[in-house]
Amino acid sequence: MNLAIVGLQWGDEGKGKIVDYLAPDFDINARYQGGSNAGHTVRFEGEKVIFHQVPCGVLNRNTLGVIGGGCVLDPKILLKEIGNLTKYDPAIRERIRISKFCHLIMPYHILIDEIREGTKQAIGTTKKGIGVAYEDKYGRTGLRVGDLYNVESFEDKLRLNISRKNLVLMDVYHAEPLSDSEIFDLYMKYAEELKPMVGDDTRIVHEAINSGKNVLFEGAQGAMLDIDYGTYPYVTSSHTIAGSIGIGLGIPPYTVERVVGVAKAYTTRVGQGPFPTEDSGDLGKLLRESGAEFGSTTGRPRRCGPFDAAVVRYAARISGVKEMILTKLDVLAGLEKLRIAVGYEAGDELDPFAAEHLLPRYIEVPGFKEDISHVRSRKDLPDNALNYIRTIEKETGIRVDHVSVGPERDAVVKM
Ligand code: GDP
Ligand code: IMO
Ligand code: MG
């Protein structure tokens, strides 16, 4: 069975924890979009491990991690990440494959992203160069992992790109120009280190599927950050919905057999842009503190608020999600009443074009007092927690398959 995990809100739903939990059942764990903007957290041997580009199922020693061609890759961050992972598995490099089709994130992408974030154009990006790298990809001037091994043409393309970027840097942003030879030398060093892991994702995943192996597709970000269907322009620069899997790995869409959504038991967002159920008062503060809601990539405080069923309904529809995993339910313990947005004053369905002005329509259900972080069986969940889950199922139309009650791998309740 090939299964996809996708985020149903604005990212940080707990996808990493769920992928790590499911990985033992899968031969391959593949990322298909995004890059070092992602921060997927796993608890392993009591430690917090944050993945940015490596698929987070690789801590399971039977799982091969594939970084697909739809991703953008920052070699510096990747090599550092792999270096950290060798602490847990000295042979980890043997279980990581990087697509030759991935576009490279270059120092000028990061610099331009950082500079733009200091202007009126700011949207609150992670400043990892993601958007600028995807701009070059679609502008057909990008450099790919596979280009690193054709040194002469890589050097020519790089010099041309840097001369163009330097014009922008100097004339538009009044910044210092970059040195092409320094960047060339650096990327040649990366090329050597990456080489044993570089391959053709389309073949690796295709052959695995053909020989009956199981693939776990790991989405980054969430549906509301999708470049087309999210809260544009406050989105990331890739497709975060399930439709992106085939493209991001060079495999046919029908190979994705099941799409499971991950949603937090409340809502968070990091960066700017509309967020109808945002609570800037006590509840938001409380959720941020009890849920430790600070960005895994940038450390920024996350904006928090009640669960928005209309957001999840919308996200589930565009990704074909029929079942979901509800995370961080433990964080809601102690709240007297739990609010759920079931629609908006203007209508029941989310229209991303109108998201800025939507006023949520809430229903309220009783909260639960008990600490549920040690619960591992459905029958031990308090009645009010079960009622909250059932209400979410009813209002989203999506079955809750598992509930996550803590950051650890085993803190999961099967429903
Ligand atoms: P991702 O980007 O979707 O993988 O999510 P992040 O890792 O950015 O953010 C989720 C955060 O919540 C991480 O710090 C996780 O360790 C933590 N987490 C995941 N599931 C649970 C849960 O059920 N309960 C609690 N308390 N924390 C969780
Ligand atoms: P994971 O995979 C939450 C947000 C940024 C910003 C917008 C654009 O951990 O869920 P970008 O750097 O991508 O150009 O920023 O998208 N963003 C995320 N928010 N989780 C993420 O990833 C995110 N990746 C990007 O905060 O608002
Ligand atoms: Mg994250």
Side-chain angles (χ1 to χ4, degrees):
M1 161 74 76
N2 304 318
L3 184 150
I5 289 293
V6 295
L8 295 177
Q9 294 154 326
W10 277 276
D12 303 328
E13 296 90 349
K15 300 175 293 293
K17 180 224 151 124
I18 300 302
V19 167
D20 172 63
Y21 164 76
L22 296 173
D25 290 335
F26 292 87
D27 306 286
I28 289 189
N29 172 203
R31 279 273 308 268
Y32 49 91
Q33 45 76 225
S36 46
N37 48 350
H40 295 180
T41 315
V42 164
R43 286 288 165 99
F44 187 70
E45 294 172 354
E47 285 183 45
K48 184 171 173 174
V49 190
I50 300 178
F51 289 78
H52 298 290
Q53 296 182 116
V54 175
C56 47
V58 295
L59 289 174
N60 174 58
R61 296 205 176 197
N62 297 316
T63 306
L64 182 78
V66 175
I67 303 174
C71 299
V72 285
L73 192 87
D74 184 331
K76 183 179 173 187
I77 297 182
L78 176 73
L79 290 165
K80 187 166 171 231
E81 187 175 339
I82 293 175
N84 289 341
L85 290 171
T86 54
K87 188 163 103 187
Y88 307 103
D89 177 2
I92 198 100
R93 283 165 189 268
E94 288 164 28
R95 286 188 291 104
I96 296 174
R97 298 286 180 278
I98 303 159
S99 168
K100 61 182 179 186
F101 296 102
C102 279
H103 275 254
L104 290 164
I105 297 178
M106 306 299 292
Y108 43 85
H109 295 141
I110 299 169
L111 189 58
I112 294 173
D113 193 358
E114 280 170 352
I115 293 174
R116 282 185 193 162
E117 282 300 299
T119 70
K120 272 192 189 156
Q121 227 183 315
I123 64 153
T125 73
T126 59
K127 299 186 185 167
K128 301 291 176 196
I130 306 297
V132 194
Y134 276 113
E135 277 172 30
D136 276 1
K137 164 174 167 162
Y138 289 104
R140 292 164 295 187
T141 58
L143 291 162
R144 299 191 281 180
V145 170
D147 293 326
L148 289 168
Y149 305 100
N150 190 340
V151 178
E152 235 171 80
S153 94
F154 180 81
E155 188 171 8
D156 287 347
K157 288 181 194 165
L158 178 68
R159 285 193 197 286
L160 183 63
N161 277 358
I162 293 186
S163 65
R164 285 177 180 153
K165 296 294 184 209
N166 276 344
L167 289 178
V168 175
L169 282 171
M170 292 187 297
D171 296 349
V172 181
Y173 297 122
H174 310 293
E176 292 295 311
L178 291 164
S179 147
D180 48 13
S181 40
E182 263 173 41
I183 297 176
F184 174 72
D185 292 346
L186 186 64
Y187 276 68
M188 285 300 103
K189 216 171 107 244
Y190 293 150
E192 211 172 299
E193 284 191 65
L194 296 175
K195 199 166 184 187
M197 296 179 278
V198 174
D200 180 347
D201 53 337
T202 68
R203 254 179 211 294
I204 298 166
V205 181
H206 176 88
E207 280 163 14
I209 292 173
N210 269 7
S211 60
K213 292 189 171 162
N214 299 323
V215 184
L216 178 60
F217 304 107
E218 174 181 345
Q221 292 83 46
M224 300 316 299
L225 290 171
D226 182 273
I227 181 74
D228 280 331
Y229 302 104
T231 43
Y232 191 89
Y234 299 98
V235 292
T236 191
S237 296
S238 65
H239 284 288
T240 59
I241 62 173
S244 157
I245 300 170
I247 292 169
L249 286 159
I251 52 167
Y254 57 75
T255 49
V256 184
E257 292 166 287
R258 213 174 125 195
V259 185
V260 176
V262 182
K264 243 177 233 182
Y266 46 98
T267 316
T268 65
R269 166 163 211 176
V270 61
Q272 284 151 240
F275 177 2
T277 65
E278 178 171 20
D279 187 306
S280 358
D282 291 346
L283 177 70
K285 199 162 157 241
L286 199 128
L287 290 171
R288 182 155 51 250
E289 277 161 16
S290 1
E293 294 295 353
F294 295 89
S296 316
T297 299
T298 59
R300 290 176 292 176
R302 292 176 184 148
R303 301 155 62 192
C304 301
F307 187 87
D308 188 334
V311 160
V312 170
R313 276 201 304 271
Y314 173 84
R317 172 163 61 85
I318 55 181
S319 276
V321 166
K322 302 271 186 300
E323 58 208 306
M324 69 174 153
I325 298 179
L326 196 66
T327 61
K328 304 193 90 160
L329 187 64
D330 54 303
V331 174
L332 299 181
L335 289 171
E336 208 160 303
K337 297 237 159 67
L338 299 171
R339 273 191 301 165
I340 298 172
V342 294
Y344 310 100
E345 296 297 343
D348 282 346
E349 297 312 317
L350 174 77
D351 174 6
F353 281 89
E356 194 72 65
H357 308 288
L358 291 175
L359 293 173
R361 212 158 47 71
Y362 288 108
I363 57 167
E364 217 170 56
V365 296
F368 51 93
K369 290 191 291 297
E370 302 85 340
D371 170 11
I372 57 166
S373 58
H374 300 289
V375 171
R376 296 292 178 266
S377 162
R378 186 184 178 286
K379 65 175 186 355
D380 296 327
L381 282 172
D383 285 345
N384 284 350
L386 279 172
N387 180 48
Y388 184 65
I389 299 165
R390 295 294 165 243
T391 311
I392 283 181
E393 285 185 320
K394 179 172 166 271
E395 297 300 337
T396 57
I398 313 294
R399 191 165 68 81
V400 173
D401 201 45
H402 288 81
V403 172
S404 173
V405 291
E408 306 80 19
R409 185 184 282 180
D410 72 334
V412 171
V413 180
K414 174 124 189 56
M415 297 301 292

